[in-house]
Amino acid sequence: MEETNVIEGVRHLGESAISETKTLLHIADLQEFITWHNMSHLVGSLVTILAFYVVYRVIKRLITKNASKKMKASTVKVISKVVSYTFYVLIVMYVLGLFGIKLSAVWGAAGIAGVALGFAAQTSVSNLISGIFVLTEKTMKPGDFIEIDGVSGTVDTISFLSVRVHTADNQLIRIPNSTIINNKLKNFSSYEYRRYVFEFSVDYSSDLDKTMEAIRKVPARCPTVITDNDNYAPAVWYVALGESGISMNLIVWCRRTDFFQTKSDVCKEVAKICREEGINIPFNRMDVTILNEDTMPKATEV
């Protein structure tokens, strides 16, 4: 009798443990869910998502391949990200639809969250929108030397929020994209050739014809100045009658990589040829008189 009671107790404990385990693991719910209809629906959904992914990869590869032939790498990167984000949004919408979630409610919540986020991050959103214009306008690329809002340097990276440049003294500066859109941008690397205008004066007593002929010899003495192309031919002009001399402009062209060397050569050769030809370049003079104790006026005692 006692053995029977023990066996019944053990059986009762086992049944209780199995029941608790089923409740904890939601076995009954899983048994109701795992039906042929639901399993076929799940497999069909997975196949649809896989098909979406394959189509997404093919479309992204085709777009990136064709865009890279006509556009810059930065623009292709933007297009690739837009395609990826579009795919993610479509997949999320599809999965939410599988769970019976109404997309209208999701869009409503997203709209409210978007408005709140917009107020909280106005500057970031402005830079993000400006970044799209900066990337698509193609006004600069990494390696270009630019000047914007009083800052000049070589472009390192162009992102959605900012442009990073390093200055001539090797300092990193981050420029927000909204600053680039709202200010005038100078890109010194867009074109192969640059013009340099050297401004100086000669004395009023100078022989103007002789001076003109002498200055016209300067470009040939500067190795980096372009002299064999009529589109970029050097020129010399008298431009104004100044207070202390006659103003002249020597206009030369060079490759942008030779710009600073050209400035140095032109300045040096103008000074040298003026000395050789006896042409006087006026400059301000200051007369200094040194007074000793005998010549200095004595202070009057009160």
Side-chain angles (χ1 to χ4, degrees):
M1 187 69 179
E2 292 180 358
E3 291 180 359
T4 304
N5 291 335
V6 171
I7 293 172
E8 288 293 330
V10 172
R11 186 176 61 82
H12 179 73
L13 289 174
E15 291 177 352
S16 178
I18 293 172
S19 177
E20 291 293 336
T21 303
K22 288 183 177 181
T23 302
L24 181 63
L25 299 177
H26 298 280
I27 299 298
D29 295 334
L30 289 174
Q31 288 176 345
E32 291 180 3
F33 176 78
I34 300 175
T35 62
W36 285 110
H37 175 73
N38 289 339
M39 292 305 296
S40 62
H41 189 63
L42 177 61
V43 172
S45 300
L46 292 176
V47 170
T48 302
I49 293 175
L50 180 61
F52 274 150
Y53 179 77
V54 172
V55 172
Y56 150 71
R57 295 294 299 179
V58 172
I59 292 176
K60 182 179 179 181
R61 184 173 182 180
L62 290 175
I63 292 177
T64 303
K65 184 177 180 180
N66 293 329
S68 60
K69 297 178 181 178
K70 303 177 182 178
M71 302 178 183
K72 296 181 179 180
S74 57
T75 306
V76 174
K77 186 177 180 181
V78 173
I79 295 175
S80 177
K81 287 186 177 181
V82 170
V83 174
S84 299
Y85 294 153
T86 303
F87 167 74
Y88 297 147
V89 170
L90 292 176
I91 289 297
V92 170
M93 292 173 62
Y94 177 74
V95 173
L96 292 176
L98 292 177
F99 287 95
I101 299 175
K102 294 183 178 180
L103 296 179
S104 58
V106 175
W107 287 119
I112 296 173
V115 172
L117 182 62
F119 280 109
Q122 294 183 25
T123 303
S124 297
V125 172
S126 175
N127 287 329
L128 180 61
I129 296 174
S130 300
I132 296 174
F133 287 104
V134 169
L135 289 168
T136 55
E137 275 187 336
K138 305 177 184 178
T139 53
M140 72 182 85
K141 64 182 183 300
D144 287 353
F145 189 85
I146 66 170
E147 180 180 339
I148 179 74
D149 197 27
V151 175
S152 59
T154 303
V155 178
D156 290 329
T157 58
I158 304 173
S159 64
F160 279 108
L161 295 178
S162 63
V163 172
R164 293 190 176 189
V165 303
H166 67 270
T167 60
D169 55 351
N170 211 30
Q171 293 183 345
L172 173 65
I173 296 183
R174 175 183 175 274
I175 306 175
N177 286 329
S178 58
T179 301
I180 296 175
I181 292 296
N182 295 325
N183 290 276
K184 294 180 180 179
L185 168 70
K186 286 185 179 181
N187 190 336
F188 298 96
S189 303
S190 292
Y191 302 104
E192 181 66 21
Y193 301 104
R194 286 189 61 182
R195 187 185 72 169
Y196 173 55
V197 180
F198 183 72
E199 302 176 354
F200 63 103
S201 299
V202 295
D203 195 274
Y204 275 106
S205 60
S206 302
D207 185 331
L208 300 184
D209 292 332
K210 176 184 175 182
T211 300
M212 179 70 74
E213 290 301 320
I215 300 302
R216 283 176 176 168
K217 299 177 184 177
V218 171
R221 298 169 65 164
C222 301
T224 56
V225 172
I226 298 174
T227 57
D228 57 354
N229 190 325
D230 293 338
N231 295 326
Y232 304 104
V236 182
W237 306 97
Y238 288 110
V239 293
L241 301 177
E243 294 182 358
S244 58
I246 302 175
S247 300
M248 297 186 70
N249 281 352
L250 171 58
I251 303 172
V252 297
W253 289 82
C254 64
R255 294 185 179 275
R256 58 182 174 83
T257 53
D258 298 328
F259 184 74
F260 293 105
Q261 183 63 47
T262 300
K263 289 180 66 175
S264 176
D265 291 344
V266 168
C267 181
K268 178 181 68 176
E269 294 302 328
V270 167
K272 287 174 64 176
I273 207 165
C274 284
R275 290 198 193 102
E276 294 170 3
E277 300 292 337
I279 301 169
N280 185 35
I281 299 177
F283 58 92
N284 294 331
R285 294 177 173 84
M286 180 181 294
D287 293 331
V288 178
T289 301
I290 300 177
L291 302 177
N292 54 35
E293 293 182 357
D294 296 334
T295 59
M296 287 178 61
K298 296 181 180 180
T300 305
E301 296 183 357
V302 179

